[in-house]
């Protein structure tokens, strides 16, 4: 029987409508076929006295906002805080923008921020905007792609996940 489950059909419909979607090949080395996780506990920053050096290290900007994991499944987007709270309603503007990516299924790790006039993230401005219901300044910085289109990407190299994130 070739009948697709409803959730699989939604993913296939979205995939077919996405002109940027690459062929569903094997993915990066280390990626494995898997179910979309409900939530992945995030790795948190660790305070150290000196940044590590060497070509094996990647450095990222530390944003001053809310860490958010975007779970995309068949056109539905849920935004979860680092503690697993569903903040999709609070960040509905971000959820709608992610929905427009038309990804069949994905888990994206990022941060929701509000930037000041100089482009620096401001936690107090983010809190103020949330308390007043303002959404036009919300920015979602995606910095890791944990899952995409039926594959758990966490075992893959971070550089490869970031490259895939740029294509999504």
């Amino acid at each position: 029987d070739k009948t697709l489950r409803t959730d699989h059909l939604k993913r296939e419909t979205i995939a077919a409508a996405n002109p940027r979607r690459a062929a569903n090949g094997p993915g990066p080395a280390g990626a494995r076929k898997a179910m979309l996780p409900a939530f992945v506990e995030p790795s948190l920053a660790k305070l150290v006295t000196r940044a590590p050096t060497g070509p094996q290290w990647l450095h990222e900007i530390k944003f001053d906002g809310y860490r958010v994991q975007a779970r995309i499944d068949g056109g539905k987007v849920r935004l979860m805080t680092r503690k697993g709270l569903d903040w999709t309603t609070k960040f509905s503007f971000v959820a709608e923008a992610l929905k427009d990516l038309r990804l069949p299924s994905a888990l994206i790790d990022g941060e929701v921020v509000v930037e000041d006039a100089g482009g620096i993230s401001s936690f107090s401005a983010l809190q103020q905007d949330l308390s007043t219901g303002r959404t036009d300044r919300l920015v979602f910085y995606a910095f890791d792609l944990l899952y995409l289109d039926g594959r758990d990407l966490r075992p893959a190299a971070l550089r490869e996940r970031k490259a895939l994130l740029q294509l999504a």
Side-chain angles (χ1 to χ4, degrees):
D1 183 13
K2 297 264 183 186
T3 306
L4 289 176
R5 292 183 358 200
T6 304
D7 58 336
H8 291 186
L9 182 59
K10 286 179 184 173
R11 291 180 198 138
E12 287 299 317
T13 302
I14 289 166
N18 186 343
R20 295 175 298 178
R21 183 176 181 260
N24 195 0
R32 62 179 189 265
K33 190 173 181 177
M35 298 289 291
L36 176 62
F39 179 73
V40 173
E41 194 154 329
S43 296
L44 301 176
K46 180 179 177 184
L47 184 61
V48 294
T49 55
R50 259 187 8 208
T53 60
Q56 74 275 22
W57 291 98
L58 293 177
H59 298 276
E60 297 175 334
I61 295 169
K62 168 62 176 99
F63 295 105
D64 200 7
Y66 281 110
R67 180 82 173 265
V68 172
Q69 190 173 103
R71 184 180 193 275
I72 302 169
D73 187 15
K76 291 184 182 178
V77 176
R78 286 183 58 209
L79 301 174
M80 310 297 287
T81 67
R82 68 183 184 137
K83 296 196 181 204
L85 301 174
D86 187 339
W87 277 23
T88 308
T89 302
K90 284 184 191 243
F91 298 134
S92 60
F93 182 77
V94 173
E96 285 302 313
L98 289 167
K99 189 175 184 177
D100 287 345
L101 293 175
R102 295 184 293 199
L103 296 172
S105 60
L107 203 58
I108 304 170
D109 194 8
E111 187 111 359
V112 174
V113 303
V114 167
E115 296 175 337
D116 64 18
I120 306 297
S121 60
S122 168
F123 191 71
S124 62
L126 175 59
Q127 288 184 311
Q128 182 180 7
D129 282 9
L130 286 174
S131 68
T132 62
R134 183 174 179 181
T135 61
D136 62 307
R137 299 191 307 170
L138 296 178
V139 177
F140 179 69
Y141 281 99
F143 47 77
D144 199 357
L145 184 60
L146 307 173
Y147 180 95
L148 180 65
D149 212 7
R151 288 190 181 79
D152 184 351
L153 302 177
R154 290 174 289 169
L158 178 60
R159 289 183 200 281
E160 292 186 50
R161 295 194 314 261
K162 286 185 173 293
L164 281 174
L165 185 60
Q166 289 182 328
L167 298 174

